[in-house]
Amino acid sequence: MAVFNRNGIDRRSLLASLGVSGALVAAPSVLRAQTREIVVGGAASHKPWVEAHVAPLFERKYNAKLTFEGTRSLVNLEKMQKNKDRPYLSVVQMDDPVMILAVKEQLLEPITAAKASNLAKLKPGTVHMEGQWANYLQPWQGIAYNTNVIKTPPASWAEAYDPKYKGRIIIPSLQNTEGLPNLFMASHLATGKPMAEATRDTESGFKKLISLKPNLLTVYNQMPQAFSLLEQGEAHMIVGALSSFALARRQDGAPIALAAPKEGIFPVPSGIAVVKGGPNQDLAFAYVNELLGAEVQAKIAPPTFALPTNVDVPPPPGMPTGVAVHTIDWAFVADNRNDWVKRWDREMSM
């Protein structure tokens, strides 16, 4: 009986065409050597959906092997730094602020439409620094609330400042990337400036945030503990909560929901980039192109509770529609964040 490989060629015919009909024992290693591989570095939390939805499609379509190394963005950056002369990662999926650091060290290969055609299908504001990286999904930040305590979803970010919530509010630290939107939204609430202007008026933002202190139960650095307090009812809101965590907890039965207030929501920076000089650059760009494409985004947006960035993919059921999604200027953040964190530690300590 003939045994066919994935290209539909039976093994005996293939060996004959290679002129090695007498070397049946050696043949399997020859075939394996022809399979090219890329290694993708990303967050540990990405591993389930990459291996379930992306790797099988990619390996079948490109006759290639995909290995996903799940860790943290800063660890992936360190891997690129230490292996700059002989990189082994082909692609990285990292937070946008860490991408800025990689750009400064010239560790990335720009993505162009010629190498990844789906780049042209992305929403405005999702391609950064002339294609150094792009966003393949937009998990989002809104207000998580305990549904046993709050029966009407918060309609405005300003509700967190209502004195009736004294000692019941949690916010992320500014040391966490998800802490930044509270600073920008505080500036918008204080001044009424359009968000693009408010994000650069952090002086007004800090003054407004200080007025929130009487309502704070705590400021978190570790997200699970904050959600534990929310689920127990000790906290009533987490302001600036991540959809990928909050909606996963809701799906597991926790008494919480996530509101998209009228002022808008903030995307969580989920970037993808090609490592400069990494192995098999053609496959690396092909992988990036697939994650920016409609087919893959339609598969991964629902289980990650995220908004797609490809304009041809509608938001999954349960995701916000018709609400502003505010873009963050990460280069501006990178230039100023150290000073902001110092001020935060000085003025927001509890």
Side-chain angles (χ1 to χ4, degrees):
M1 181 177 68
V3 178
F4 290 83
N5 67 12
R6 66 182 66 188
N7 293 319
I9 303 172
D10 74 85
R11 180 179 167 195
R12 187 175 299 278
S13 299
L14 177 60
L15 294 175
S17 70
L18 293 172
V20 290
S21 57
L24 293 177
V25 174
S29 64
V30 172
L31 295 177
R32 281 196 299 271
Q34 291 176 333
T35 301
R36 296 188 299 157
E37 178 180 11
I38 61 170
V39 180
V40 178
S45 60
H46 294 177
K47 193 174 181 68
W49 60 260
V50 169
E51 293 185 347
H53 301 292
V54 185
L57 179 150
F58 179 82
E59 292 181 345
R60 182 172 61 252
K61 190 170 182 177
Y62 297 96
N63 191 26
K65 167 115 177 113
L66 190 157
T67 298
F68 187 85
E69 287 191 356
T71 176
R72 294 182 293 115
S73 291
L74 287 174
V75 174
N76 283 315
L77 177 65
E78 186 178 1
K79 290 177 181 177
M80 287 192 288
Q81 292 167 327
K82 289 184 175 179
N83 299 286
K84 185 175 182 178
D85 294 334
R86 298 186 64 184
Y88 78 95
L89 292 173
S90 293
V91 175
V92 285
Q93 295 169 204
M94 306 193 299
D95 294 342
D96 287 19
V98 182
M99 290 290 191
I100 294 276
L101 302 177
V103 171
K104 288 183 176 178
E105 296 193 36
Q106 301 181 354
L107 298 173
L108 305 180
E109 188 72 32
I111 306 167
T112 65
K115 294 180 178 178
S117 59
N118 285 322
L119 197 70
K121 287 287 187 177
L122 299 187
K123 296 176 182 175
T126 56
V127 180
H128 304 276
M129 300 185 75
E130 299 180 340
Q132 291 282 344
W133 80 93
N135 296 129
Y136 56 94
L137 281 180
Q138 288 182 323
W140 54 281
Q141 288 182 253
I143 298 178
Y145 60 99
N146 185 304
T147 54
N148 291 334
V149 179
I150 299 176
K151 301 301 181 184
T152 303
S156 169
W157 292 76
E159 291 188 30
Y161 293 79
D162 191 319
K164 71 180 181 182
Y165 291 117
K166 183 178 181 180
R168 296 295 189 179
I169 302 296
I170 295 178
I171 58 175
S173 167
L174 203 62
Q175 295 181 18
N176 294 35
T177 299
E178 72 267 26
L180 290 162
N182 277 316
L183 176 61
F184 301 147
M185 183 55 71
S187 174
H188 171 72
L189 294 174
T191 65
K193 292 179 179 178
M195 191 57 65
E197 295 179 29
T199 56
R200 293 178 178 272
D201 184 4
T202 53
E203 179 66 26
S204 297
F206 272 109
K207 290 179 179 177
K208 179 70 175 177
L209 271 179
I210 290 173
S211 72
L212 183 62
K213 288 183 70 174
N215 281 7
L216 293 181
L217 173 64
T218 188
V219 175
Y220 81 77
N221 292 100
Q222 300 295 325
M223 198 183 309
Q225 289 88 333
F227 272 87
S228 178
L229 291 170
L230 182 68
E231 291 169 25
Q232 294 168 16
E234 290 296 317
H236 293 182
M237 296 182 193
I238 296 178
V239 184
L242 300 178
S243 63
S244 52
F245 200 100
L247 295 178
R249 292 297 304 139
R250 177 180 175 83
Q251 189 176 64
D252 290 340
I256 60 176
L258 185 65
K262 64 182 182 182
E263 294 90 353
I265 57 178
F266 293 83
V268 180
S270 298
I272 188 168
V274 173
V275 178
K276 189 173 185 178
N280 297 315
Q281 295 266 290
D282 58 331
L283 286 177
F285 280 105
Y287 178 81
V288 170
N289 196 50
E290 292 298 331
L291 254 70
L292 303 184
E295 180 180 3
V296 168
Q297 290 199 13
K299 291 179 183 294
I300 64 177
T304 56
F305 306 100
L307 298 168
T309 57
N310 188 303
V311 296
D312 291 337
V313 185
M319 294 296 107
T321 57
V323 63
V325 180
H326 300 297
T327 300
I328 294 175
D329 183 346
W330 292 110
F332 178 70
V333 170
D335 288 341
N336 294 279
R337 189 171 180 181
N338 287 341
D339 291 337
W340 295 344
V341 170
K342 290 177 183 175
R343 183 169 180 179
W344 172 277
D345 291 341
R346 186 172 63 248
E347 299 185 3
M348 294 297 291
S349 60
M350 297 183 64

